[in-house]
Amino acid sequence: MTIAPTLQRYMSDQNISYDLIQHEPAMSSLGTAHAGHVPGDRLAKGIMLSDGRNYMLAVLPASHHLRLSDLKTELGQELRLASEDEIVQVFRDCDRGAIPPVGTCYGLDVIVENSMERQPDIYFEGGDHATLVHVKGDDFARLNPRAQHGTFSERM
């Protein structure tokens, strides 16, 4: 089981207790939730976005789709999905497609879907496709302390 070194240092610095859960490799958020025996509403996924100059991380449940139009309304700016090459440059210590929904330690602004706040426990990929990080909901909020919050997704 692995966790990205950047994330591991940050969680240690913030005194966040966590468990690691190994699961069969999966290549989608819902596949990861299924493989880890975790409800899709409790698995947080991060989606990196760009406004052309800066990057941002949108955090939402694996059971939801991002609605860019709603995100534009929430933030008052146009955003696009970041390319795979851009993502790899920011999340250098993570496997492709396995980015943690913790932007602070990677220098990203974060917006968290409101529905994530209602979860007592949060699970997320910690940098690979076979390990989940499990934290208490309150601790997850501490990982992105300056995050904005809004409604910008819909259940699949």
Side-chain angles (χ1 to χ4, degrees):
M1 291 189 275
T2 62
I3 182 171
T6 302
L7 177 63
Q8 188 173 31
R9 277 191 305 276
Y10 180 66
M11 291 178 70
S12 176
D13 291 347
Q14 300 302 311
N15 295 315
I16 302 291
S17 296
Y18 62 91
D19 301 310
L20 296 180
I21 301 167
Q22 192 169 13
H23 61 84
E24 291 297 317
M27 297 309 286
S28 72
S29 296
L30 277 179
T32 298
H34 180 73
H37 307 289
V38 173
D41 289 346
R42 291 188 184 182
L43 182 78
K45 65 180 175 182
I47 300 175
M48 197 168 103
L49 306 162
S50 174
D51 66 3
R53 294 185 322 269
N54 300 302
Y55 297 114
M56 169 175 247
L57 195 65
V59 177
L60 56 152
S63 58
H64 287 218
H65 281 297
L66 175 69
R67 291 190 311 222
L68 279 173
S69 60
D70 290 354
L71 196 55
K72 178 183 178 183
T73 301
E74 287 284 341
L75 298 172
Q77 68 184 58
E78 195 76 39
L79 294 165
R80 65 166 172 79
L81 297 176
S83 71
E84 282 295 320
D85 289 339
E86 291 171 311
I87 295 168
V88 168
Q89 289 300 310
V90 173
F91 292 92
R92 294 175 190 259
D93 59 351
C94 298
D95 291 349
R96 190 175 284 261
I99 64 172
V102 181
T104 303
C105 58
Y106 289 93
L108 299 174
D109 290 332
V110 177
I111 184 165
V112 177
E113 169 64 44
N114 285 331
S115 64
M116 295 299 305
E117 296 172 7
R118 295 188 290 271
Q119 301 302 330
D121 296 284
I122 302 288
Y123 300 81
F124 57 90
E125 289 182 323
D128 71 14
H129 292 287
T131 308
L132 287 176
V133 178
H134 168 237
V135 297
K136 290 185 164 89
D138 293 343
D139 286 339
F140 184 74
R142 289 179 40 223
L143 289 172
N144 291 303
R146 295 181 307 279
Q148 294 177 264
H149 298 270
T151 302
F152 52 87
S153 71
E154 65 184 348
R155 183 176 292 282
M156 292 187 217

